[in-house]
Amino acid sequence: AINLVNEKIILHQKFLQEQTKDIQDKIRENISKIEENKKLISSLQENNISLKDKIRECTAGLSFEEDIKKQIVTVENIISKLTSNVTKYKKEMNFYSEHDACPTCHQEIVESFKLTEIRVKSDKVEESERGIEQCHNTLADLREQLNRGNTIHQQISEYQTQIHKNEASIEAIGQFIKQIANESIALKTADKTISKNEIESLNRELADYNTQKEKIIRDRHIYELGTIFLKDSGIKSYIIKQYLPLIWLL
C-alpha cells in the first residue's frame, strides 16, 4: 500500500507538472493577447487624437460661415430693394409715355420734360438691373462658399462617427482584456490550490500508512521476542518452577 501511495504521489506530481506547464503556457498566451490588444487600443486612441485635431482644423475653417450668412442676407435685401426700384422706375416711365397731361391737375406735361424723365428713369432701370445682376453673381459666390462649409460639416460628421466607432472598439477590447486577465488569475489560483490540496491529501495518506507500518513492525517484533522466549527451555523451566506452585494453590 505504501509503495502504491508513493507511486500515486510520483504520478500525481508528474501530472501536476504537466498541468502547471499547460497553465503557464495558457497564461503566457493570455499575456501575449493582452499586450497585442493594448497596442490596438493605443493605435485607436492615437487615431482619435488625430481625428480630433482634424475636427479642430475644420471647425476653425468654419469661422467664416456666420459672416457669409450675414452677407447673403444683406445681398438678398439689396436685390429686393433694387427690384422694387426697377418696378417703380418702369411704372414712372410708362406714366410719361402714356400721358401728355397730369391726370390729377390736368396740366400739360412738356414733351422735353417727359423725354428727360423717361431717359433718367431708363438709366436708373439699367443701373439697377446691372446692380441686381452683380448681386446675383455675388450671391452665387457666397452660396458656393457656404456649400463648401456644408462639405466641411459633412467631413466633421464623418470624423465624429469614426471617433465613436473607435471608442466602442476600445471599450470592447478593454472588456476582453479584463476577461483574459481574470482568467489568468483564476488559472494561477486553481493551479496552486489543486497542487497544494492533492499533495497534502497524498502526504496524509502516506503518513497514515507509515504509522500503520511502524505499528505492524513493533507488534511483529514483540511477537518474535515472545516466540524466542517460549522456545528457550531454560525460560520454560523457570516459568514452570516460578508459577506452578501458585497454580496448585489456586
Side-chain angles (χ1 to χ4, degrees):
I2 293 174
N3 290 335
L4 180 61
V5 174
N6 282 325
E7 289 177 4
K8 286 173 66 177
I9 290 175
I10 292 170
L11 289 173
H12 188 68
Q13 286 177 335
K14 183 179 179 182
F15 168 75
L16 289 177
Q17 288 174 353
E18 293 175 352
Q19 186 185 51
T20 299
K21 183 179 180 301
D22 291 341
I23 289 174
Q24 290 174 346
D25 289 343
K26 181 63 177 176
I27 290 173
R28 279 194 291 270
E29 181 184 345
N30 286 350
I31 291 173
S32 177
K33 287 181 180 178
I34 289 172
E35 292 303 317
E36 289 176 2
N37 282 280
K38 281 184 176 179
K39 289 179 182 178
L40 182 55
I41 286 177
S42 295
S43 176
L44 290 170
Q45 289 173 334
E46 290 175 1
N47 183 239
N48 277 358
I49 291 172
S50 175
L51 290 171
K52 288 176 181 178
D53 287 340
K54 290 179 179 179
I55 288 174
R56 279 192 290 270
E57 291 174 3
C58 289
T59 303
L62 290 173
S63 58
F64 67 89
E65 197 170 39
E66 288 303 317
D67 184 53
I68 293 292
K69 289 179 180 179
K70 290 178 181 179
Q71 289 182 48
I72 287 174
V73 171
T74 300
V75 173
E76 287 176 340
N77 289 335
I78 292 173
I79 291 173
S80 177
K81 185 175 181 179
L82 289 174
T83 302
S84 296
N85 288 341
V86 168
T87 301
K88 183 184 74 169
Y89 295 146
K90 285 183 176 181
K91 185 177 179 181
E92 290 175 355
M93 286 171 63
N94 290 334
F95 172 82
Y96 288 115
S97 297
E98 297 172 356
H99 295 86
D100 293 329
C102 176
T104 304
C105 64
H106 304 291
Q107 183 179 355
E108 182 182 359
I109 302 174
V110 180
E111 185 66 22
S112 60
F113 177 78
K114 287 172 58 177
L115 293 174
T116 301
E117 285 298 314
I118 290 172
R119 188 180 65 253
V120 170
K121 302 304 179 186
S122 177
D123 291 341
K124 287 184 177 182
V125 167
E126 290 179 3
E127 183 182 356
S128 296
E129 287 178 342
R130 284 196 301 271
I132 290 171
E133 184 180 358
Q134 290 175 357
C135 286
H136 279 298
N137 291 335
T138 302
L139 197 61
D141 291 339
L142 292 171
R143 284 173 175 165
E144 185 178 349
Q145 293 180 46
L146 199 60
N147 286 335
R148 286 200 294 271
N150 292 335
T151 302
I152 294 173
H153 277 296
Q154 184 178 355
Q155 186 65 67
I156 290 173
S157 178
E158 290 175 3
Y159 290 151
Q160 289 173 335
T161 299
Q162 186 59 50
I163 287 173
H164 293 324
K165 288 181 179 179
N166 289 347
E167 288 175 346
S169 296
I170 289 170
E171 177 66 21
I173 294 169
Q175 291 297 325
F176 179 65
I177 289 174
K178 184 178 178 180
Q179 178 183 343
I180 294 177
N182 289 336
E183 179 184 302
S184 298
I185 293 171
L187 286 171
K188 287 181 180 180
T189 304
D191 181 33
K192 293 178 181 179
T193 302
I194 292 173
S195 301
K196 183 178 179 181
N197 292 345
E198 292 290 340
I199 291 175
E200 286 180 355
S201 176
L202 289 171
N203 283 333
R204 284 194 299 270
E205 187 176 350
L206 181 61
D208 291 340
Y209 279 121
N210 283 330
T211 300
Q212 294 177 19
K213 178 182 177 182
E214 291 174 1
K215 185 176 182 302
I216 291 170
I217 292 173
R218 186 173 60 254
D219 291 345
R220 186 174 64 185
H221 182 63
I222 292 172
Y223 294 146
E224 288 175 352
L225 287 176
T227 302
I228 292 171
F229 287 153
L230 291 174
K231 286 181 178 180
D232 191 320
S233 57
I235 295 294
K236 285 181 180 179
S237 299
Y238 175 78
I239 292 173
I240 291 171
K241 289 179 182 179
Q242 183 73 20
Y243 294 102
L244 187 58
L246 297 174
I247 292 171
W248 285 111
L249 291 175
L250 296 174

